[in-house]
Amino acid sequence: MQVAIDSARAVRGRTSPNPWVGAVVVRDGKVVSVGATAPYGGPHAEAAALAGVDARGATLYTTLEPCMPFEGKRTRPCAEAIIEAGVSRVVISLSDPHTPVRGQGAAFLRAQGVQVDLGDGSEAVTELLRPYLKFRQTGLPYVIAKFAVSLDGKVGAPLAGITWLTSEPALARAHSDRAWVDAILVGSGTVLADDPALTAREAGSLLARQPLRVILDGRGRTDPAARVLGPGALVVTSKSSPQWRRAVAATGAEFLELEYREAGVDLRELLRALGQRDIVSLIAEGGPSVLASLFDGGHVDEVHAYVAPLILGPAGIPLVPSGARAGPVRPPRSRDRTASPGCPHSRIHRRLVAVERPVAPTRESFGAMNMPMPSREPSPCTIRDASGGRPVCPATATAGTAGSAAEGTHGTNERTRLLHAGGSAPLPARSHR
């Protein structure tokens, strides 16, 4: 089953809106073939593993319940392919929560005389398929809230020349995350401040698969020349002018008009609309007001907080503005370890990984922050996993104050993810404009 899980992990998100599944055919204790789900419309993992091999009397391991026929299905049902191949035993990690499949694939196989075992690797697969499981159970996308912050809760200090808190490896991780999610969400304030492209790139080159770029702009503030606009962009608005809409539409961007409320665009309505477009997962990259509204509405499923061991002081822009109401988000008391998770998305996912180590600011930077210049560069930090695991060393790459202005303070790093729900990471402000 671990081979099947690894195969599924390798195609995470790239099969959306289908789940990323792995399958392995085993005979006499040896792996015969391995398969993974192809991009939408292509073969599923079970079909890929069975293709071109003699599977009569073999065991098939699969990370998710084999599919059954349903309206609109593009591929042959995997449960039928398994019977035709002569497989004698199927080991399944999780039941599929998708209504046309749920429980029926396993029942069909048993009715045809196939031995079916359920639950092997269920915890790992539940972890891997969190976005898909939430989407199928609620119709809403899985929301990852992402922000970079200093130790004193600041997102940058432009007057001190500090606008980027993370490193080049962090930026590479940001693009790695963008490559597997279905959408990136930002507010018009982030577009105005950073002019981001919000594309997924590797070594500077655009990847073939790009996430939908979602811009919240209820009042029509985005410059029609902004880099984020164009084909593949969805502008969510309400009170914008017809002239502005015509200018933005000329770039090739789409519009989604939603009701405007006191706090801004209705995010619940937005998430429903994105779910109807088969958006399974999205990363909310800012700014603070957008993130605040997502937290306030209970829409956040996972937090990526990139923490730099740096005190920015009075010159810093706070993640939580003065006077804002923000309370801690409590972690779950227990984890659901069943083979068929009841509601794995009902908590904010938590894991503490590491922090960034920035280059020490200059004397001029400290002067702008009204802080004394330290006598030497700060020592690197070591952070222990929040669940009590082993210590994790910080990233060794340095983070300068220069970098892509388009990315602002929203870089990420494999070793700088704080997936935490215990209140130690500051939460953003509540209002969204």
Side-chain angles (χ1 to χ4, degrees):
M1 185 58 77
Q2 186 58 54
V3 175
I5 293 171
D6 292 342
S7 180
R9 185 175 289 109
V11 295
R12 178 181 62 160
R14 293 163 175 81
T15 65
S16 186
N18 286 339
W20 34 105
V21 178
V24 176
V25 176
V26 175
R27 183 193 299 279
D28 299 327
K30 296 181 179 180
V31 172
V32 176
S33 64
V34 180
T37 306
Y40 186 60
H44 290 188
E46 299 93 329
L50 293 169
V53 301
D54 182 3
R56 290 174 294 180
T59 296
L60 176 72
Y61 290 81
T62 180
T63 57
L64 196 66
E65 183 178 12
C67 62
M68 292 290 289
F70 58 86
E71 185 178 354
K73 183 170 174 51
R74 295 188 175 189
T75 57
R76 183 185 181 190
C78 292
E80 295 179 358
I82 291 170
I83 296 300
E84 184 176 294
V87 171
S88 61
R89 177 176 177 240
V90 176
V91 182
I92 303 168
S93 289
L94 290 181
S95 294
D96 192 336
H98 192 197
T99 302
V101 179
R102 185 170 53 206
Q104 298 183 46
F108 174 80
L109 293 173
R110 289 189 177 108
Q112 300 297 315
V114 176
Q115 178 184 342
V116 177
D117 298 322
L118 181 65
D120 185 13
S122 61
E123 184 174 358
V125 175
T126 298
E127 177 84 0
L128 179 62
L129 285 179
R130 278 179 286 112
Y132 173 77
L133 297 174
K134 178 195 175 177
F135 175 72
R136 284 303 179 195
Q137 292 173 338
T138 68
L140 302 174
Y142 184 87
V143 177
I144 300 171
K146 184 182 80 169
F147 53 88
V149 68
S150 66
L151 291 178
D152 57 341
K154 308 297 176 62
V155 297
L159 294 179
I162 301 175
T163 57
W164 190 11
L165 299 183
T166 52
S167 63
E168 287 291 347
L171 183 59
R173 177 54 194 255
H175 288 288
S176 175
D177 284 339
R178 288 178 181 180
W180 74 265
V181 297
D182 294 330
I184 307 294
L185 173 69
V186 297
S188 58
T190 295
V191 176
L192 291 171
D194 296 343
D195 191 24
L198 298 185
T199 52
R201 302 186 295 275
E202 184 176 8
S205 299
L206 287 175
L207 298 177
R209 181 185 184 274
Q210 291 292 322
L212 178 70
R213 307 185 302 278
V214 183
I215 304 98
L216 300 184
D217 193 346
R219 295 171 289 175
R221 302 192 302 159
T222 300
D223 186 340
R227 295 199 303 157
V228 73
L229 298 178
L234 177 67
V235 181
V236 184
T237 190
S238 51
K239 289 186 174 182
S240 53
S241 70
Q243 295 86 350
W244 177 81
R245 295 192 191 197
R246 285 194 294 268
V248 171
T251 70
E254 297 181 68
F255 281 101
L256 175 63
E257 185 167 0
L258 296 178
E259 179 183 355
Y260 191 87
R261 298 186 175 180
E262 182 180 354
V265 171
D266 187 330
L267 292 180
R268 169 66 67 171
E269 187 179 350
L270 169 62
L271 294 176
R272 288 197 191 99
L274 292 176
Q276 291 169 0
R277 295 174 65 111
D278 285 336
I279 299 298
V280 174
S281 58
L282 70 85
I283 295 178
E285 296 199 3
S289 58
V290 172
L291 294 172
S293 293
L294 288 168
F295 276 107
D296 192 44
H299 305 306
V300 176
D301 301 292
E302 185 170 318
V303 174
H304 293 192
Y306 309 98
V307 183
L310 179 67
I311 302 298
L312 296 186
I317 298 175
L319 180 65
V320 183
S322 177
R325 293 176 298 166
V329 179
R330 300 298 180 189
R333 296 193 179 191
S334 62
R335 297 180 67 91
D336 186 342
R337 300 176 183 269
T338 61
S340 299
C343 193
H345 61 272
S346 63
R347 61 186 183 270
I348 293 184
H349 189 61
R350 56 187 288 267
R351 184 183 301 134
L352 180 58
V353 180
V355 297
E356 283 285 349
R357 181 188 179 187
V359 169
T362 63
R363 240 170 241 289
E364 291 75 15
S365 297
F366 271 88
M369 291 184 284
N370 297 317
M371 296 174 63
M373 181 71 181
S375 58
R376 59 186 178 85
E377 182 180 350
S379 300
C381 299
T382 298
I383 290 187
R384 185 173 294 276
D385 186 277
S387 61
R390 62 179 178 82
V392 182
C393 296
T396 56
T398 59
T401 60
S404 171
E407 301 303 329
T409 59
H410 303 294
T412 65
N413 189 319
E414 172 67 37
R415 306 184 63 79
T416 58
R417 287 204 309 171
L418 171 62
L419 309 184
H420 181 59
S424 63
L427 299 183
R430 293 169 59 92
S431 62
H432 167 51
R433 298 179 177 85

